[in-house]
């Protein structure tokens, strides 16, 4: 027998992590953001516990500003996997009508960072799986697979537990929690190849199609619904676009593309000259250390 | 600066990607994966080398490159040139101080392989991080600054990677550009290193002269080193055999992670195969029970598998209904691993608090977590000279050899044979911190040879005969807090109610069972351990046991709690503030301690760790002894329903 391929090794490691954590956790949950990484993570979870459904619910921390296609796939995958789907919307953000157009960085902070903490506290989850990868961003490279968080959800990079062999220390005191990243060692290319090999359903927005867009502040934004406030002189234009990463539609830049199949997407990614997160506004708020700071505050 | 040309063969072939992506993807489906660690001293150019590997493998995009150019000018150390180190020094704290504070994992790929690099800092105090990074690595790249040669740190790093079982080593002699690519410099460093490598048992290594900054011998043979005939670094990394692949040739072993039981008709055992190959029809043995069965199916989401190999995560079904649960090991029936409860092991201490011999820690090995106690180390290793030194304990970053005893037999293999079944971590029972990494050498005696006396009369039967639930009422509090007084009153009341009781008192036990013990931290721990064992035997006999010991440390009280069955350990905190206890000073001990006649006196010069959540809390400043005893007795009868 030849040795395992890189995808086989990655898959085996992710399955091992999920089973290990679930075996020792009190009340685990899987953060499901409906993107391609979430799609792979969900597939791996189903594989880890097959023929049983994964023994934990899916949690979607909603901002009400995701693409409509994302909501549709979310509901379909929850039904297919036989898992409970919990949707949390920060009630304060709902009440104050927080939106990316009027509230800037507060939008992410209130819906996502605060919303996530609220949801975890509300349900008393002690472990949350997330789909972050180490190749995404510099501070991610230093985070553990099993990442310890204080009772107030803070991340202290200097107090991380050493992670040896494939032995994960999942113990903690009441109130403390763990964020667990089974895709830590996957790259964007690995994700795409795995999706292709396993025929995993993803949001159609990753594939190119003519869509209504405006260009604003150098980003191609899709006008996904009529809440998009058009500025004077702005008129949605149909462009052949797709997305490399998906978030809130007013914050996610599209790329002009003709890639309509997975191999075409992969080709485009391989020949691309800008990084995946560049289309996201979130990393640019506070200069260099932006993601590190957000994580210390409790962001995923 | 030399960078690879677009047509560079080792990295992705953009021409093929553009022309025939399907062909390229097919090629890449069969890539293997190598995990390696880079080790070097602070200025050996480690970050620069890794930054270079990422840059050359085209994982640096235009936007990141623009940021790198700006950063290089602002805070870089390479003048106008790109400072690759800035690509990998991730945290703001590090960029400000110009250091690397933790293990980081970097991902890159060539046409043949995907790589995961553990990037660990070279600072003296971070043995912990290096050991962590090495634990998952197939290969180590040891960096040496050509201007400095083999340093103390080089020796330390080499010792550590060897200790962690890495057998494939690359010696990268870096900064060759700064010694004019001089062959004699390279040769003399390699000779020095070979001397040292022989001494610690490193058999073979491949030495490569490189410049991470200039790019020499990184992706292709450099024109600057015509005298060097070996492979370029990347070429070597992508062709060297992967050690974990040889695990397939060893007997089958899989630690059970999870019993999958969605309904009454299905029972599967999920785990990651540590070694060997498994096929339906194979005879297997479940350890430690020793029960045997046959594999009936290998279940997977895409359909059953014909076979599975080392490294894969699978779910197995058996032909027979035999007991098997999380923590057990499924093994080849004809070549099972050993089972034991006493071992010699190497420990790398990672906790802020030093090892306390006698204290109970959690040990996690494979998927099994058990309670373990450690003997004082036989010796610790000076990682610079490799000398063995006498040691009473191990502090943060210390490495030593000690005997360990688990509270029940575990399935294991020597670390030299299996990293998965021979490597373990120790976890502090209170803080839950990972305090040590360990590697088992061998068992001191085989547990299967120690026959537990099979007892026909069970503890349940004894308890039933007495008509009571066995319990330990563990009174803890400062000297003079009133523990013994209250415990005596409680025992009288219980006795009068017809319960079978026994009171173990601190002073009395120290006159007999524990008269060989003093009052150092280690002796206090042993004192409590023995009392705990005695109390356990008494609960086995069906008794209600009362103990009155200061028992100042939470960890030891928790150790005793762990010895008992669930709910049988009742912690009673006799809460008397030190001022009050000292004012009472029934035995005159506080006066002696204050005047220096008594050392290590709890509350004076030795700490008392108050219970955080005692089962019963008696505040003696508001509750008198009789009332307290009444309260405790009520609690017991309420709990007994």
């Amino acid at each position: 027998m030849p040795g395992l391929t890189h995808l086989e090794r990655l898959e085996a490691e992710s399955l091992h992590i999920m089973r290990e954590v679930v075996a020792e956790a009190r009340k685990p949950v899987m953060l499901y953001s409906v993107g391609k990484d979430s799609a792979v993570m969900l597939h791996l979870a189903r594989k880890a516990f097959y023929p049983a459904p994964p023994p934990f619910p899916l949690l979607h921390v909603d901002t009400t500003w995701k693409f409509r296609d994302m909501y549709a796939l979310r509901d379909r995958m929850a039904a297919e996997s036989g898992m409970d789907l919990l949707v949390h919307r920060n009630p304060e953000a709902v009440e104050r009508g927080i939106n990316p157009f009027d509230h800037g960085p507060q939008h992410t902070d209130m819906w996502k960072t605060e919303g996530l903490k609220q949801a975890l506290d509300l349900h008393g989850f002690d472990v949350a799986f997330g789909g972050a990868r180490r190749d995404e961003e510099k501070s991610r490279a230093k985070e553990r697979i099993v990442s310890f968080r204080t009772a107030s959800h803070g991340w202290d990079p200097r107090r991380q537990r050493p992670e040896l062999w494939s032995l994960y220390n999942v113990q903690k005191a009441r109130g403390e929690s763990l964020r667990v990243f089974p895709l830590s060692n996957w790259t964007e290319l690995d994700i795409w190849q795995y999706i292709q090999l396993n025929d995993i359903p993803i949001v159609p927005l990753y594939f190119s199609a003519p869509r209504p867009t405006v260009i604003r502040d150098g980003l191609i934004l899709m006008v996904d619904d009529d809440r998009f406030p058009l500025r004077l002189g702005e008129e949605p234009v149909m462009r052949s676009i797709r997305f490399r990463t998906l978030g809130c539609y007013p914050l996610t830049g599209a790329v002009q593309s003709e890639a309509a199949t997975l191999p075409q997407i992969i080709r485009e990614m391989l020949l691309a000259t800008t990084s995946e997160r560049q289309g996201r506004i979130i990393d640019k708020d506070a200069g260099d250390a932006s993601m590190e700071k957000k994580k210390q505050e409790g962001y995923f | 600066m030399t960078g690879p040309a677009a047509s560079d063969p080792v990295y992705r072939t953009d021409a093929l990607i553009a022309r025939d992506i399907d062909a390229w993807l097919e090629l890449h489906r069969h890539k293997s994966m190598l995990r390696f660690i880079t080790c070097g001293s602070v200025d050996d150019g480690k970050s620069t080398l890794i930054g270079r590997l990422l840059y050359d493998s085209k994982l640096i995009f235009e936007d990141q490159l623009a940021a790198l150019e700006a950063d290089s000018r602002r805070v870089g150390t390479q003048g106008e040139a790109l400072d690759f180190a800035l690509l990998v020094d991730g945290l703001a704290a590090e960029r400000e101080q110009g250091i690397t504070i933790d293990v980081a994992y970097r991902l890159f790929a060539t046409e043949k392989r995907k790589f995961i690099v553990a990037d660990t800092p070279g600072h003296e105090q971070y043995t912990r991080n290096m050991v962590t990074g090495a634990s998952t690595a197939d290969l180590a790249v040891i960096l040496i600054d050509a201007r400095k040669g083999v340093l103390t740190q080089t020796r330390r790093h080499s010792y550590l990677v060897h200790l962690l079982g890495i057998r494939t080593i690359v010696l990268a002699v870096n900064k060759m550009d700064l010694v004019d690519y001089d062959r004699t410099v390279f040769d003399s460093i390699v000779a020095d290193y070979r001397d040292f490598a022989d001494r610690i048992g490193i058999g073979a290594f491949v030495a490569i002269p490189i410049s991470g900054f200039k790019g020499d011998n990184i992706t292709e043979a450099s024109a600057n080193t015509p005298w060097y005939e070996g492979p370029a670094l990347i070429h070597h990394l992508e062709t060297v055999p992967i050690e974990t692949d040889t695990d397939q040739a060893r007997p089958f072993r899989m630690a059970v992670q999870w019993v999958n039981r969605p309904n009454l008709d299905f029972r599967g055992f999920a785990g990651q195969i540590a070694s060997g190959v498994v096929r339906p029809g194979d005879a297997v043995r479940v350890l430690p029970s020793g029960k045997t069965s046959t594999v009936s199916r290998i279940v997977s989401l895409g359909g059953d598998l014909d076979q599975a190999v080392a490294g894969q995560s699978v779910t197995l079904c058996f032909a027979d209904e035999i007991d098997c649960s999380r923590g057990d090991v499924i093994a080849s029936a004809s070549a099972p691993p050993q089972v034991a409860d006493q071992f010699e092991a190497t420990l790398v201490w990672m906790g802020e608090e030093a090892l306390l011999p006698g204290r109970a820690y959690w040990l996690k090995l494979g998927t099994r977590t058990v309670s373990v106690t450690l003997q004082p180390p036989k010796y610790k290793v000076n990682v610079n000279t490799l000398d063995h030194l006498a040691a009473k304990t191990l502090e943060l970053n210390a490495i030593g050899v000690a005997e360990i005893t688990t509270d029940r037999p575990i399935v294991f293999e020597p670390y030299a044979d299996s990293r998965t079944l021979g490597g373990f971590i120790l976890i502090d029972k209170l803080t839950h911190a990972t305090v040590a990494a360990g590697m088992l050498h061998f068992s001191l005696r085989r547990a299967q040879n120690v026959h537990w006396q099979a007892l026909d009369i069970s503890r349940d039967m004894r308890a039933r005969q007495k008509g009571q639930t066995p319990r330990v009422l563990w009174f803890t509090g400062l000297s003079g807090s009133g523990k013994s007084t209250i415990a005596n009153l409680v025992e009288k009341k219980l006795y009068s109610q017809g319960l079978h009781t026994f009171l173990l008192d601190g002073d009395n036990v120290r006159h007999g069972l524990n008269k060989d013990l003093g009052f150092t931290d280690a002796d206090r721990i042993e004192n409590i351990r023995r009392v705990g064992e005695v109390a356990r035997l008494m609960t086995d006999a069906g008794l209600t046991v009362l103990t009155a010991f200061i028992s100042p440390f939470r960890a030891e009280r928790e150790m005793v709690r762990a010895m008992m069955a669930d709910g049988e350990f009742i912690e009673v905190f006799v809460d008397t503030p030190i001022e009050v206890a000292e004012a009472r000073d029934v035995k005159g001990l506080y006066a002696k301690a204050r005047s220096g006649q008594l050392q290590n006196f709890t509350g004076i010069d030795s700490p008392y760790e108050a219970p955080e959540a005692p089962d019963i809390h008696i505040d003696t400043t508001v509750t008198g002894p009789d009332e307290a005893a009444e309260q405790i007795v009520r609690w017991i009868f309420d709990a007994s329903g």
Side-chain angles (χ1 to χ4, degrees):
Chain A
M1 274 288 288
L4 301 182
T5 67
H6 72 297
L7 288 177
E8 286 168 337
R9 259 181 103 169
L10 290 171
E11 179 192 75
E13 178 187 62
S14 301
L15 264 53
H16 173 81
I17 293 163
M18 288 187 190
R19 288 164 171 176
E20 205 53 22
V21 168
V22 167
E24 297 196 9
R26 190 171 43 77
K27 195 173 178 189
V29 67
M30 177 167 281
L31 268 291
Y32 182 63
S33 71
V34 212
K36 63 184 190 306
D37 303 306
S38 278
V40 168
M41 184 164 63
L42 174 58
H43 181 86
L44 292 166
R46 294 174 73 182
K47 195 156 186 179
F49 300 98
Y50 179 85
F56 43 79
L58 295 171
L59 171 65
H60 184 222
V61 179
D62 191 17
T63 66
T64 72
W65 290 94
K66 302 293 176 189
F67 292 92
R68 285 173 300 164
D69 277 353
M70 293 173 73
Y71 293 112
L73 184 75
R74 178 193 74 186
D75 295 342
R76 183 188 133 198
M77 291 315 293
E80 263 183 35
S81 63
M83 298 164 76
D84 285 338
L85 171 68
L86 307 170
V87 177
H88 182 83
R89 298 183 194 93
N90 178 353
E92 198 193 335
V94 173
E95 193 178 319
R96 288 176 52 192
I98 298 296
N99 69 74
F101 298 106
D102 303 323
H103 302 100
Q106 225 190 338
H107 171 76
T108 300
D109 182 55
M110 288 199 58
W111 285 113
K112 295 178 81 175
T113 309
E114 284 308 311
L116 173 62
K117 289 196 266 188
Q118 283 172 357
L120 296 178
D121 289 343
L122 179 69
H123 297 280
F125 293 122
D126 63 334
V127 172
F129 290 106
R133 309 186 319 263
R134 282 173 173 152
D135 73 331
E136 277 178 272
E137 198 272 338
K138 282 198 275 191
S139 72
R140 295 271 194 219
K142 305 228 159 181
E143 188 159 9
R144 301 287 185 264
I145 288 172
V146 173
S147 180
F148 177 81
R149 302 298 171 102
T150 62
S152 53
H153 303 281
W155 180 64
D156 180 354
R158 286 167 192 269
R159 272 194 55 215
Q160 297 196 92
R161 292 171 177 174
E163 214 156 68
L164 292 128
W165 298 291
S166 51
L167 293 172
Y168 299 100
N169 174 359
V170 185
Q171 297 194 19
K172 61 207 171 305
R174 225 177 160 75
E176 295 167 347
S177 62
L178 301 170
R179 307 280 173 92
V180 179
F181 305 103
L183 303 181
S184 289
N185 288 326
W186 296 60
T187 62
E188 189 182 4
L189 175 60
D190 298 329
I191 293 287
W192 284 121
Q193 278 189 286
Y194 192 79
I195 287 172
Q196 191 200 13
L197 282 174
N198 292 279
D199 212 4
I200 297 170
I202 52 170
V203 183
L205 294 161
Y206 285 113
F207 299 103
S208 179
R211 297 184 169 103
T213 60
V214 296
I215 295 181
R216 186 180 283 183
D217 305 327
L219 291 179
I220 304 173
L221 297 178
M222 176 173 163
V223 184
D224 194 45
D225 60 36
D226 53 17
R227 291 180 297 174
F228 195 104
L230 292 171
R231 289 178 188 161
L232 197 64
E234 269 181 352
E235 186 67 38
V237 174
M238 294 304 279
R239 289 185 175 87
S240 184
I241 56 153
R242 63 176 204 90
F243 294 86
R244 292 178 61 189
T245 172
L246 292 173
C248 292
Y249 82 79
L251 292 174
T252 311
V255 289
Q256 299 235 33
S257 166
E258 300 298 331
T261 65
L262 276 169
Q264 286 168 1
I265 288 175
I266 297 173
R267 176 170 63 190
E268 204 169 271
M269 183 207 82
L270 289 171
L271 301 176
T273 54
T274 58
S275 70
E276 182 183 11
R277 294 192 77 85
Q278 201 204 19
R280 290 213 198 170
I281 296 172
I282 182 166
D283 292 341
K284 298 182 181 168
D285 294 346
D288 260 5
S290 165
M291 183 62 86
E292 182 182 347
K293 188 165 153 287
K294 282 194 158 36
K295 283 153 71 75
Q296 284 168 7
E297 289 162 359
Y299 183 73
F300 236 81
Chain B
M1 182 175 45
T2 54
S7 61
D8 195 313
V10 294
Y11 293 110
R12 26 179 257 240
T13 39
D14 286 2
L16 180 60
I17 292 168
R19 195 179 67 245
D20 189 349
I21 182 68
D22 292 322
W24 189 89
L25 283 170
E26 182 53 33
L27 219 64
H28 280 253
R29 201 160 296 168
H30 306 291
K31 245 195 264 196
S32 56
M33 185 163 106
L34 179 84
R35 300 187 67 139
F36 68 95
I37 179 172
T38 53
C39 336
S41 310
V42 180
D43 296 317
D44 286 348
K46 200 153 38 76
S47 295
T48 304
L49 174 65
I50 295 171
R52 155 75 63 182
L53 293 173
L54 298 183
Y55 176 82
D56 284 359
S57 65
K58 295 172 195 160
L59 284 171
I60 311 301
F61 293 104
E62 267 174 13
D63 51 326
Q64 292 168 328
L65 197 59
L68 174 65
E69 279 166 3
D71 283 354
S72 297
R73 277 193 295 277
R74 196 161 51 86
V75 289
T77 57
Q78 306 294 339
E80 281 301 299
L82 291 181
D83 186 351
F84 292 118
L86 294 174
L87 283 173
V88 293
D89 290 343
L91 302 181
E94 295 172 293
R95 283 199 299 275
E96 282 153 18
Q97 296 167 33
I99 56 159
T100 318
I101 59 170
D102 207 335
V103 194
Y105 296 90
R106 316 286 172 191
L107 315 173
F108 73 99
T110 67
E111 288 295 273
K112 292 196 179 113
R113 266 191 189 157
K114 170 187 168 114
F115 297 95
I116 300 179
V117 193
D119 178 11
T120 57
H123 308 271
E124 188 122 4
Q125 65 272 38
Y126 283 123
T127 294
R128 172 170 100 163
N129 294 337
M130 239 213 73
V131 167
T132 302
S135 71
T136 50
D138 304 302
L139 174 150
V141 176
I142 309 253
L143 271 161
I144 291 190
D145 183 334
R147 296 169 303 173
K148 296 180 184 158
V150 177
L151 300 177
T152 299
Q153 293 203 22
T154 316
R155 288 194 279 269
R156 175 168 52 232
H157 296 150
S158 303
Y159 168 72
L160 291 175
V161 302
H162 186 67
L163 181 71
L164 268 289
I166 299 175
R167 297 289 171 257
T168 315
I169 290 175
V170 174
L171 187 72
V173 181
N174 193 23
K175 304 196 182 182
M176 286 301 292
D177 53 317
L178 300 181
V179 295
D180 299 327
Y181 303 99
D182 185 341
R183 178 178 192 163
T184 54
V185 172
F186 177 75
D187 285 347
S188 102
I189 289 172
V190 172
D192 275 1
Y193 190 79
R194 190 172 303 281
D195 275 354
F196 169 74
D198 286 346
R199 262 177 52 213
I200 65 167
I202 293 177
F205 61 89
V206 171
I208 307 176
I210 64 165
S211 166
F213 178 57
K214 300 277 190 188
D216 297 289
N217 291 324
I218 303 292
T219 57
E220 56 191 50
S222 167
N224 294 317
T225 54
W227 44 267
Y228 172 72
E229 289 171 349
L233 179 62
I234 283 291
H235 178 73
H236 181 63
L237 292 177
E238 63 178 4
T239 51
V240 68
I242 297 172
E243 235 178 82
T244 47
D245 290 348
T246 60
D247 288 343
Q248 279 187 30
R250 302 185 50 253
F252 173 70
R253 279 117 180 65
M254 183 183 99
V256 177
Q257 286 188 284
W258 172 265
V259 179
N260 197 335
R261 183 131 226 209
N263 55 58
L264 291 175
D265 301 325
F266 186 90
R267 191 153 160 269
F269 306 99
Q272 185 170 19
I273 301 174
S275 64
V277 179
V278 66
R279 298 180 185 88
D282 283 0
V284 289
R285 189 181 297 269
V286 175
L287 295 165
S289 76
K291 299 247 167 51
T292 56
S293 185
T294 308
V295 174
S296 58
R297 297 173 61 193
I298 306 172
V299 179
S300 183
L301 178 60
D304 282 11
L305 307 177
D306 298 333
Q307 69 167 12
V309 302
Q312 275 181 287
S313 289
V314 294
T315 300
L316 305 180
C317 297
F318 293 158
D320 313 276
E321 284 266 334
I322 58 170
D323 277 349
C324 182
S325 49
R326 174 170 168 82
D328 290 346
V329 173
I330 303 172
S332 151
S334 55
Q338 299 176 60
V339 177
D341 61 0
Q342 272 193 9
F343 308 90
E344 185 188 273
T346 297
L347 295 168
V348 181
W349 203 256
M350 301 187 163
E352 299 290 336
E353 204 185 328
L355 179 164
L356 258 182
R359 169 168 288 184
Y361 298 92
W362 294 121
L363 172 148
K364 186 171 185 188
L365 180 146
T367 57
R368 177 75 82 198
T369 302
V370 296
S371 191
V372 66
T373 51
L374 286 65
Q375 296 289 311
K378 291 180 168 172
Y379 59 85
K380 65 178 179 184
V381 178
N382 177 329
V383 288
N384 297 328
T385 62
L386 306 185
D387 291 338
H388 293 182
L389 310 171
K392 289 201 168 98
T393 180
L394 296 174
E395 311 81 23
L396 176 63
N397 290 317
I399 297 173
V401 169
E403 289 181 6
I404 67 172
T405 306
T406 54
D407 69 345
R408 76 193 85 157
I410 56 171
V411 185
F412 83 103
E413 292 191 281
Y415 185 78
D417 294 342
S418 168
R419 287 204 212 183
T420 313
L421 290 177
F424 62 87
I425 55 172
L426 296 184
I427 301 168
D428 187 289
K429 288 194 170 184
L430 280 176
T431 64
H432 310 294
T434 303
V435 293
M439 288 146 283
L440 294 177
H441 301 173
F442 46 78
S443 65
L444 296 168
R445 60 184 166 92
R446 290 191 183 203
Q448 60 252 52
N449 297 335
V450 182
H451 298 288
W452 286 94
Q453 200 63 42
L455 302 168
D456 293 332
I457 310 295
S458 70
R459 75 194 300 274
D460 284 351
M461 291 163 73
R462 290 198 199 87
R464 265 203 308 279
Q465 188 189 38
K466 295 185 178 60
Q468 64 184 44
T469 308
R471 280 205 180 83
V472 176
L473 291 166
W474 189 276
F475 291 77
T476 173
L478 292 169
S479 176
S481 60
K483 297 182 297 296
S484 296
T485 309
I486 297 171
N488 262 299
L489 288 169
V490 171
E491 190 182 25
K492 279 185 199 163
K493 286 177 195 285
L494 294 178
Y495 180 85
S496 67
Q497 300 278 338
L499 262 64
H500 300 263
T501 58
F502 195 91
L503 175 62
L504 285 164
D505 182 82
D507 289 345
N508 296 345
V509 169
R510 280 193 175 273
H511 287 134
L513 176 66
N514 291 350
K515 70 178 173 191
D516 56 327
L517 299 177
F519 290 89
T520 62
D521 284 0
D523 280 359
R524 283 174 185 274
I525 290 169
E526 177 60 15
N527 182 42
I528 296 305
R529 190 192 69 79
R530 290 185 196 173
V531 170
E533 289 289 352
V534 170
R536 175 164 74 168
L537 288 173
M538 288 181 165
T539 57
D540 282 349
L543 298 180
T544 296
V545 186
L546 300 90
T547 69
F549 294 83
I550 299 173
S551 44
F553 304 127
R554 273 181 216 125
E556 278 62 62
R557 297 193 299 264
E558 286 308 307
M559 170 177 77
V560 177
R561 186 190 290 276
M563 288 179 193
M564 307 297 166
D566 262 359
E568 289 188 1
F569 180 88
I570 317 298
E571 189 173 45
V572 183
F573 179 27
V574 183
D575 187 359
T576 305
I578 179 104
E579 311 80 50
V580 179
E582 189 167 358
R584 290 182 197 155
D585 205 4
V586 195
K587 302 172 197 160
L589 295 174
Y590 282 94
K592 279 190 185 167
R594 287 288 180 203
S595 66
Q597 294 172 58
L598 262 184
Q599 302 289 316
N600 299 321
F601 194 78
T602 300
I604 307 291
D605 57 351
S606 183
Y608 179 76
E609 298 169 0
E612 282 168 343
D615 300 288
I616 303 174
H617 189 161
I618 305 293
D619 181 349
T620 67
T621 61
V622 294
T623 311
D626 277 313
E627 200 187 327
E630 193 52 47
Q631 195 182 324
I632 294 165
V633 170
R634 256 201 323 274
W635 192 97
I636 292 169
F637 284 106
D638 287 350
S640 306

